[in-house]
Amino acid sequence: MKAAGAPDGGPLAGLRVIELGTLLAGPFTGRLLGDLGAEIVKVEAPGKPDPIREWGKARYEGRSLWWPVQSRNKKCITLNLREPRGQELLLRLVEHADVVTENFRPGTLERWGLGYDRLSEVNPRVILARVSGYGQTGPYAQRAGFASVSEAMGGIRYLNGFPDQPPPRMHLSLGDSLAGMFAAQGILAAIYWRDVAGGGLGQVVDVSLMEAAFAMLESTVPEYDRLGIVRGPQGTNLKGIAPSNIFKSRDDKWIVIAANADNVFRRLCEAMERPELADDERFATHLARGDNQDEIEGVVADWARERDAAEIDRVLNEAGVICGPIYTIADIFEDPQFRAREMLLEHHDPEFGSYIGPGIVPKLTRTPGSVRWSATWEEGSHNDEIYGGLLGLDEDARTSLREAGVI
């Protein structure tokens, strides 16, 4: 339920974002802002739309299921940014915008005469969020960048997996999503400085996929700097943090048990009916358990192997021990917590009807975000609204632009 006085659609209602670029990181930024109420005007090249419309092998009614979620809450227009008339139209749109997002290779906007200097001439308050593989500066700036390489060079790929095995990637484009989240954070910070702190002007938000991955490295940076430690993959646990691992149940399911803090470990020992372990000198302290990690985790594994996953989950949570099963997406659909938190939301696709998509994160009590519509499939579905309504171009002008391949 919306709180009294809350704007329709979320806390960012009234914020207008022009989304340039395709695929993942830049459009994910737009999705996050759109979920919270911003008006997202997504620009696609006429006849060459965002490839994510067709990405992925999974098809429902002949359609990809990635596009309708990634582009929910967005108004789709077509515009040829390589043509001078298209560039002029974009500048007119920028006059009415708070934010422009793009994820082209650095220098692309400048080649089109649409760099930040030009955008800020027509709108000094506009914020330009630029997402790229390596950032707008530095020796790698001109390299093409994908999430797979950014995760590798950002350091998180090396930490994943098991020692002496090839570093695997997560079956997701994690680097793109991380970059999109940092871009949204940077945009909100720039808006705060412009509108609240009194700055009054826009600025460039420069996000690198590689740096977004690197930002996740916790203490590995000072560990190497001061101690020369090169942290590597550890498999299913964290070295020296015990017991904290995955354990297989009697019914062949994996469950995470994390009881590395002293007070939680004592609760685990009580729940396992092995209270004496909490005072055993091998396990009585955090450091001692780290030194005897294999031994104590072997004890927990033996206990878990004799019980079904549901029993382990119930017994340990009742005892105040941190634990939970490793879920597939099928398990998530059955879990009441996801439903209670509205994380499985019904969407209504204009072509194939209802489907379930991910909910809104984060939750706001007074100005919650929402899924106002699933992505439209028609290219330029909002051309008339944006070019006619926002820019005031009449039907003849729009027809001329279409015939010239500008929109």
Side-chain angles (χ1 to χ4, degrees):
M1 180 179 296
K2 187 176 70 174
D8 291 334
L12 299 183
L15 188 79
R16 180 173 290 127
V17 178
I18 309 299
E19 179 185 294
L20 311 178
T22 61
L23 295 175
L24 304 183
F28 186 61
T29 306
R31 176 192 142 185
L32 296 174
L33 299 175
D35 284 353
L36 295 177
E39 178 188 16
I40 311 298
V41 180
K42 180 174 179 60
V43 175
E44 298 179 272
K48 295 182 179 179
D50 192 333
I52 204 171
R53 287 174 176 267
E54 300 297 331
W55 266 36
K57 291 185 177 181
R59 288 288 185 274
Y60 180 72
E61 301 288 345
R63 293 294 197 181
S64 165
L65 292 170
W66 200 346
W67 164 260
V69 169
Q70 180 80 322
S71 294
R72 68 191 186 191
N73 296 328
K74 297 182 183 180
K75 297 177 179 179
C76 295
I77 65 171
T78 49
L79 184 60
N80 189 344
L81 296 176
R82 292 172 172 80
E83 292 290 330
R85 290 175 71 187
Q87 295 159 8
E88 292 170 7
L89 276 177
L90 181 69
L91 292 174
R92 289 190 60 185
L93 289 172
V94 169
E95 292 177 10
H96 301 275
D98 292 284
V99 180
V100 175
T101 67
E102 62 100 349
N103 63 319
F104 303 120
R105 196 179 298 194
T108 300
L109 285 186
E110 285 73 11
R111 288 197 301 274
W112 294 338
L114 297 171
Y116 180 69
D117 288 348
R118 185 72 184 99
L119 301 184
S120 62
E121 282 180 7
V122 301
N123 183 356
R125 291 172 55 81
V126 76
I127 293 160
L128 175 61
R130 317 194 73 170
V131 184
S132 61
Y134 305 94
Q136 301 296 310
T137 59
Y140 297 162
Q142 293 303 313
R143 288 190 183 187
F146 275 3
S148 54
V149 177
S150 72
E151 294 162 23
M153 295 181 66
I156 60 175
R157 182 87 172 251
Y158 182 73
L159 297 176
N160 196 25
F162 291 82
D164 302 320
Q165 292 186 15
R169 72 171 297 179
M170 186 174 289
H171 199 185
L172 293 167
S173 298
L174 180 62
D176 285 302
S177 297
L178 290 173
M181 288 190 284
F182 278 114
Q185 173 184 311
I187 288 167
L188 296 177
I191 290 170
Y192 181 88
W193 180 80
R194 183 191 71 184
D195 295 347
V196 179
L201 298 173
Q203 60 184 298
V204 175
V205 177
D206 180 359
V207 177
S208 153
L209 271 70
M210 183 178 72
E211 292 164 4
F214 177 76
M216 300 293 104
L217 293 189
E218 298 178 351
S219 63
T220 60
V221 176
E223 285 173 4
Y224 177 72
D225 178 57
R226 296 295 86 192
L227 301 173
I229 295 172
V230 178
R231 191 189 299 188
Q234 184 61 26
T236 61
N237 62 12
L238 294 174
K239 187 175 182 180
I241 308 297
S244 182
N245 209 329
I246 63 172
F247 302 92
K248 183 166 277 191
S249 63
R250 182 170 55 192
D251 52 349
D252 217 29
K253 297 180 180 179
W254 289 106
I255 191 162
V256 175
I257 301 175
N260 43 291
D262 289 347
N263 59 336
V264 181
F265 177 67
R266 185 170 292 276
R267 294 177 207 148
L268 173 64
C269 296
E270 294 285 348
M272 294 192 303
E273 299 181 346
R274 297 288 306 276
E276 74 281 359
L277 294 175
D279 297 314
D280 189 311
E281 64 180 11
R282 296 169 299 169
F283 313 130
T285 67
H286 174 77
L287 291 177
R289 289 190 298 278
D291 291 338
N292 296 280
Q293 186 164 13
D294 290 344
E295 190 172 356
I296 188 56
E297 292 190 343
V299 172
V300 179
D302 290 343
W303 176 82
R305 199 178 296 116
E306 297 175 352
R307 290 158 179 82
D308 289 345
E311 179 188 356
I312 296 170
D313 189 51
R314 177 184 57 79
V315 168
L316 294 191
N317 274 289
E318 288 177 354
V321 176
I322 296 88
C323 82
I326 294 180
Y327 275 169
T328 66
I329 189 61
D331 296 322
I332 286 173
F333 266 65
E334 295 299 320
D335 189 286
Q337 180 70 10
F338 284 85
R339 299 282 180 179
R341 294 279 295 171
E342 296 185 336
M343 286 309 300
L344 295 170
L345 283 183
E346 186 174 46
H347 294 53
H348 297 282
D349 186 86
E351 289 195 8
F352 56 70
S354 296
Y355 68 97
I356 299 298
I360 310 296
V361 179
K363 311 295 185 190
L364 282 77
T365 58
R366 294 189 183 276
T367 56
S370 64
V371 176
R372 300 179 296 287
W373 65 87
S374 179
T376 58
W377 290 101
E378 179 188 359
E379 294 176 38
S381 57
H382 292 81
N383 278 359
D384 287 344
E385 176 184 339
I386 298 301
Y387 294 125
L390 181 63
L391 297 189
L393 300 179
D394 62 25
E395 187 172 347
D396 288 343
R398 300 198 300 274
T399 299
S400 174
L401 290 168
R402 280 193 294 269
E403 291 174 349
V406 177
I407 65 173

